[in-house]
Amino acid sequence: MTKVEVQPFDKDWFSRPGDSVLSAMRRRRVSPSAVAERLAGGMPQLREILSGFGGIDDEAASALSSTVGGSIPFWISRQEKYQKSLSQAVEQLPAEEADAWLEQIPTPGPKRRITANTRTTELERRLAYFGVSTLKSWDARYGPNQRVARFRRSLTFTAHDGATSLWLREGELEANLRQTEAWSREELNERLSDIRALSRIRKPSRFLKPLAALLAGCGVALVIVKAPQGCRASGASRMIAPDKAMILMSFRHRADDQFWFTLFHEIGHLLLHEGAPFVDVEGMDVADDPQEREANEFAATIIVPKFREAELESLPARDEPIRRFAVSLGVSPGMILGQLQHRGIVPHGVLRRLRRHWTWEEIFAED
């Protein structure tokens, strides 16, 4: 895993009306469900407004005015001014940058064919969705390295970069719609054992809701978003507001050891690194990254406490001893298998029956 640090927007970003809605909701402590109840389109309409895709008409302006404040004319004017700014931003894009947006940065939904007639609309969709007016500001928030020097060298981003930015933005939107308590590092520390105990539950449909509830009580919105094609990220963590953190999970490989290790890794980032944003991507060298090593060590210690590491490393590569050790620790056997394989004690591909694998239907099932 490696981190992708996400820096604040540069001066060339611009604010969507949905950003003002979200800010007003937080300031007045109005829940997403309370706003959605007043909108004709309910929660889907609120999500569209926050995403930048949905506009604010007279009816929506009335609903917003009655829930988060501001007059109806204010919200109508806010939408009109934003649409004007968005059109101007598209007009000012250099041709090379516009091509890079269209060819390399995706938006949600099926891939659309770009024509001369749809070019402007598609550029507006991308700028609106990511809330930026240039690729430089997109790179600062969602890009691969967030370094101005890299951006100046090239406008070329990989398929992974574009797909990962889409995954991150989807996660932010979902996290913004989750109700949580105020972020508390102390509360999260206290709940680690309760979170860890959930790994013994076999079905995601039975552990994800209590897991999300435990994290929400600490001010962390847990979001599960399937990674789009080209995205190799397994997890991400960041503060999405001063009092709200997000952990985004992709369920990469759909296996219990990978899911729980990644979750504890992201919790480690939140606890150890002051809420700094991270995107963790598999297959990358982390030898020179002390924060990634710290998060890995934190996750491993949550699974197997330090005082039991010697016992772990003396386990034979057999089913029953591993199961007994897992039971004694109160974690799933797959998590112990994963630690043994990571240490090179058990070869990969051996004892697969100890690891739980899930289908997407099982992951998103409602019990």
Side-chain angles (χ1 to χ4, degrees), residues 41-89:
M43 193 64 77
Q45 184 179 5
L46 177 58
R47 192 183 191 283
E48 286 290 286
I49 291 173
L50 296 184
S51 73
F53 288 161
I56 298 175
D57 56 17
D58 289 351
E59 189 175 13
S62 176
L64 293 174
S65 178
S66 65
T67 52
V68 301
S71 65
I72 294 175
F74 165 79
W75 289 113
I76 296 297
S77 175
R78 181 76 174 81
Q79 179 67 41
E80 291 173 349
K81 290 178 179 178
Y82 171 71
Q83 190 58 50
K84 182 178 179 181
S85 297
L86 181 61
S87 298
Q88 290 175 342

Side-chain angles (χ1 to χ4, degrees), residues 75 88 170 175 182-183 191 220 244 272 308 314 320 362:
W75 289 113
Q88 290 175 342
E170 285 285 290
W183 159 246
R191 297 194 183 196
V220 181
K244 187 174 186 177
L272 300 173
R308 300 200 65 178
S314 67
E320 193 55 35
E362 289 173 318

Side-chain angles (χ1 to χ4, degrees), residues 43 68 80 90-91 137 171 220 257 272 297 300 353:
M43 193 64 77
V68 301
E80 291 173 349
V90 169
E91 290 173 2
S137 48
V220 181
D257 61 322
L272 300 173
E297 290 168 5
R353 59 188 172 275

Side-chain angles (χ1 to χ4, degrees), residues 192-202 256 260 264 301-305 307-308 311 321-336 356:
L192 285 175
S193 60
D194 294 331
I195 292 170
R196 180 178 179 271
L198 292 174
S199 74
R200 294 175 293 182
I201 302 175
R202 297 187 64 87
D256 65 338
W260 289 104
F264 292 132
T301 301
I302 292 295
I303 296 169
V304 181
F307 72 92
R308 300 200 65 178
E311 189 178 349
I322 294 173
R323 288 186 187 275
R324 285 199 303 266
F325 185 67
V327 169
S328 73
L329 287 176
V331 299
S332 74
M335 293 163 68
I336 301 304
R356 298 168 186 162

